[in-house]
Amino acid sequence: MSDSLDLLNERLKAFAQERDWEQFHSPKNLSMALIAEAAELVEHFQWLSEEQSYQLDADKHEEVAMEMADILIFLVRCAERLDINLVEAAQRKIAINEARYPADRVRGDARRANEYDKEDSR
Amino acid sequence: MSDSLDLLNERLKAFAQERDWEQFHSPKNLSMALIAEAAELVEHFQWLSEEQSYQLDADKHEEVAMEMADILIFLVRCAERLDINLVEAAQRKIAINEARYPADRVRGDARRANEYDKEDSR
Amino acid sequence: MSDSLDLLNERLKAFAQERDWEQFHSPKNLSMALIAEAAELVEHFQWLSEEQSYQLDADKHEEVAMEMADILIFLVRCAERLDINLVEAAQRKIAINEARYPADRVRGDARRANEYDKEDSR
Amino acid sequence: MSDSLDLLNERLKAFAQERDWEQFHSPKNLSMALIAEAAELVEHFQWLSEEQSYQLDADKHEEVAMEMADILIFLVRCAERLDINLVEAAQRKIAINEARYPADRVRGDARRANEYDKEDSR
């Protein structure tokens, strides 16, 4: 019945409350913890080629999975503090991206949104 | 039946494939995109006090929700490329944290894991 | 005679060349290494209050100094690869900021540049 | 006589003081501003190949120079708040790296420090 992210959220909230850690979990602080975990993910890939970044050995793959877990954990915590529905927000953002980048126009081209916008305004 | 993250994953994969963007979506590149979005979240909070970071006006709250959506989007994409089950990984990481930080020992104390470890080894 | 950043740059370039590491030092990779170090700096402060972030004990102060050293090291390396004069660029950016934020207008107010710009266009 | 980073530091301190912005410039907040700028640098490179990251057109090169300027600006500000001598710290860190990575042992190999350490302890 319950969604997996809801279950995760409940478990994480209980974890913080049992340790009296909610006092440290301001959105400001959680955004810092989240980016620190994102950087640990980046660190695994920084000297690898793109090809190598797909081919991680088992130990590295597990370390990467745990970094991604940490990112999700802090993201869920931060969303809870600000009463944001992550999945709903993501579905809404994808709809925006679908309108912004019509498949016919951007196929095979990774230039960023603002660069398309700049072109439009020329 | 399907979980919300699975649905998100399918929609994002289709989005990338329709645009022929999977060629850009190496784990290395996606980790960069993810951290760039994490930084946009941080940027919203950098000059706010912790208290202010809870009290966002409606416009700012929506902007923050969209940054968090972007983080989730790239996290889901990166997990897909590496065949990582995000929710399973997060549940596993929480179990590790529960063992690592017994509530009785760390209540109200936000020192980091490695600092506890250092103490242990003294 | 030589400036301290020039000396640093020369020493770092020699360090990379002696180890045949310049092959890994693309601007892309160096930007990743730089942000990973920036995150280690953030990590020191994430659970501290702003006040506490000024009052580091000697060990922590030294660790923070080493993180900042790492950031400078990768910044200098990245500038070298792209033939950018860091000090000249910073002086130029400060001049832009001085014009953008007249002291009379922004005194005591930390809102971000783009928010002023938004106001201007209303 | 004065070093370029000292001059930069003085100009930035005056800039903050004239705007009564030092109150926002805690080490915690400055670390957030710094990583946000580092992410803007990363963002320029995230969809480029390593080769492309060397070959920026003039506009992009200038944008990248300005992001790197912002990183240096916040790094200098943060060092000032914590009374850290950046150049001295960097020279000290390089000496540590020179001892840690003997050229003979690591030539052409970009594995990270902690991986060498792990090998040592096996």
Side-chain angles (χ1 to χ4, degrees):
Chain A
M1 192 80 193
S2 276
D3 200 78
S4 60
L5 277 192
D6 294 332
L7 293 171
L8 208 56
N9 182 42
E10 283 161 34
R11 186 171 179 187
L12 286 167
K13 191 167 175 60
F15 179 89
Q17 287 178 335
E18 286 160 11
R19 284 157 186 75
D20 195 17
W21 281 1
E22 285 208 306
Q23 60 181 312
F24 304 114
H25 286 188
S26 63
K28 180 182 177 108
N29 287 3
L30 289 165
S31 76
M32 297 173 83
L34 195 161
I35 203 166
E37 299 300 341
E40 292 186 18
L41 184 66
V42 165
E43 213 176 343
H44 282 288
F45 299 130
Q46 66 197 11
W47 307 127
L48 301 185
S49 69
E50 289 187 56
E51 289 71 32
Q52 290 170 328
S53 77
Y54 285 102
Q55 294 147 4
L56 308 177
D57 66 33
D59 282 0
K60 190 77 131 179
H61 190 273
E62 173 62 9
E63 288 174 40
V64 163
M66 290 299 103
E67 310 296 7
M68 295 178 72
D70 284 326
I71 295 168
L72 184 59
I73 285 169
F74 286 119
L75 188 62
V76 167
R77 283 300 292 147
C78 195
E80 191 272 338
R81 297 335 296 272
L82 290 167
D83 200 17
I84 287 168
N85 182 324
L86 276 178
V87 169
E88 181 276 330
Q91 292 288 9
R92 205 144 46 80
K93 185 59 195 284
I94 298 172
I96 292 169
N97 288 341
E98 287 169 343
R100 198 176 190 186
Y101 306 106
D104 288 351
R105 189 163 166 216
V106 301
R107 191 162 286 125
D109 185 339
R111 279 178 297 163
R112 294 183 307 164
N114 59 342
E115 295 180 355
Y116 281 105
D117 294 348
K118 268 188 250 162
E119 272 176 23
D120 288 342
S121 64
R122 269 169 207 157
Chain B
M1 192 80 190
S2 277
D3 198 76
S4 61
L5 277 193
D6 293 332
L7 293 170
L8 207 57
N9 182 42
E10 284 162 31
R11 187 170 178 189
L12 286 167
K13 189 166 177 64
F15 180 90
Q17 286 178 336
E18 286 160 13
R19 282 156 189 79
D20 195 16
W21 280 2
E22 285 208 306
Q23 60 182 309
F24 305 114
H25 285 189
S26 63
K28 179 181 177 107
N29 287 3
L30 289 165
S31 75
M32 296 174 82
L34 194 163
I35 203 165
E37 299 301 339
E40 291 185 20
L41 183 66
V42 165
E43 212 175 344
H44 282 289
F45 298 131
Q46 66 196 12
W47 307 126
L48 302 185
S49 68
E50 288 187 56
E51 289 70 33
Q52 291 170 327
S53 77
Y54 285 102
Q55 293 147 6
L56 307 177
D57 66 32
D59 281 2
K60 189 77 131 180
H61 190 274
E62 173 62 11
E63 287 174 40
V64 162
M66 289 300 102
E67 310 297 6
M68 294 177 73
D70 284 327
I71 295 168
L72 184 59
I73 285 168
F74 286 120
L75 187 62
V76 167
R77 283 301 292 146
C78 195
E80 192 270 340
R81 298 332 300 270
L82 290 168
D83 200 16
I84 286 169
N85 182 323
L86 276 179
V87 170
E88 182 274 331
Q91 292 288 9
R92 206 144 45 82
K93 185 58 193 281
I94 298 172
I96 291 169
N97 287 342
E98 287 169 343
R100 198 177 190 184
Y101 305 107
D104 289 350
R105 186 161 169 217
V106 301
R107 191 163 286 124
D109 185 339
R111 280 178 295 162
R112 295 183 306 167
N114 59 342
E115 296 180 355
Y116 281 104
D117 295 348
K118 270 187 246 162
E119 271 176 24
D120 288 344
S121 63
R122 271 171 206 154
Chain C
M1 194 76 196
S2 278
D3 199 77
S4 60
L5 278 192
D6 294 333
L7 292 170
L8 208 57
N9 182 43
E10 284 162 31
R11 188 170 176 187
L12 287 166
K13 191 168 175 60
F15 179 90
Q17 287 178 334
E18 286 160 12
R19 283 156 187 77
D20 195 17
W21 280 2
E22 286 208 305
Q23 60 181 310
F24 304 113
H25 286 189
S26 64
K28 179 181 178 109
N29 287 2
L30 289 165
S31 77
M32 297 174 82
L34 195 163
I35 203 165
E37 298 300 339
E40 293 187 16
L41 184 66
V42 165
E43 212 176 345
H44 282 288
F45 297 130
Q46 67 196 14
W47 306 126
L48 302 185
S49 68
E50 288 188 55
E51 291 67 36
Q52 290 170 328
S53 77
Y54 285 103
Q55 292 147 6
L56 308 176
D57 66 32
D59 281 2
K60 191 78 131 178
H61 190 273
E62 173 62 9
E63 287 174 39
V64 163
M66 289 301 101
E67 310 296 8
M68 296 178 72
D70 283 327
I71 296 168
L72 184 58
I73 285 169
F74 285 120
L75 187 62
V76 166
R77 282 302 291 148
C78 194
E80 192 270 340
R81 296 337 295 273
L82 290 168
D83 201 16
I84 286 169
N85 182 325
L86 277 178
V87 170
E88 182 276 331
Q91 292 288 7
R92 206 144 46 80
K93 185 60 192 283
I94 298 173
I96 292 169
N97 287 341
E98 286 169 343
R100 199 176 189 186
Y101 305 107
D104 288 350
R105 188 163 167 218
V106 300
R107 190 162 287 124
D109 186 338
R111 280 179 295 166
R112 295 181 308 165
N114 59 341
E115 296 181 354
Y116 281 104
D117 295 348
K118 271 188 248 163
E119 273 178 21
D120 287 343
S121 64
R122 270 170 205 157
Chain D
M1 192 80 192
S2 278
D3 197 78
S4 61
L5 277 192
D6 293 333
L7 292 170
L8 207 57
N9 182 43
E10 283 162 31
R11 189 171 177 187
L12 286 166
K13 190 167 177 60
F15 180 90
Q17 287 179 333
E18 285 160 14
R19 283 155 187 78
D20 195 16
W21 280 3
E22 286 209 305
Q23 60 181 310
F24 304 114
H25 285 188
S26 63
K28 179 180 177 108
N29 287 2
L30 289 165
S31 76
M32 297 173 82
L34 194 163
I35 203 165
E37 299 301 339
E40 293 186 18
L41 184 66
V42 165
E43 212 175 345
H44 282 289
F45 298 129
Q46 66 197 12
W47 306 127
L48 302 185
S49 69
E50 289 187 55
E51 289 68 36
Q52 289 169 327
S53 76
Y54 286 102
Q55 294 148 5
L56 309 176
D57 67 32
D59 282 1
K60 190 75 132 180
H61 190 273
E62 173 61 10
E63 287 174 40
V64 162
M66 289 298 103
E67 310 297 6
M68 295 179 73
D70 283 327
I71 295 168
L72 184 59
I73 285 169
F74 286 119
L75 187 62
V76 167
R77 282 302 290 147
C78 195
E80 192 271 339
R81 296 337 294 274
L82 290 169
D83 201 17
I84 286 168
N85 183 323
L86 277 177
V87 170
E88 182 274 333
Q91 292 288 8
R92 206 143 47 80
K93 186 60 192 282
I94 298 172
I96 291 169
N97 288 341
E98 287 169 343
R100 200 176 189 184
Y101 304 106
D104 287 351
R105 185 161 169 219
V106 300
R107 190 163 287 125
D109 185 340
R111 281 178 295 164
R112 295 181 306 166
N114 58 344
E115 297 181 354
Y116 281 105
D117 295 348
K118 269 187 251 165
E119 273 178 22
D120 288 343
S121 64
R122 269 170 208 157

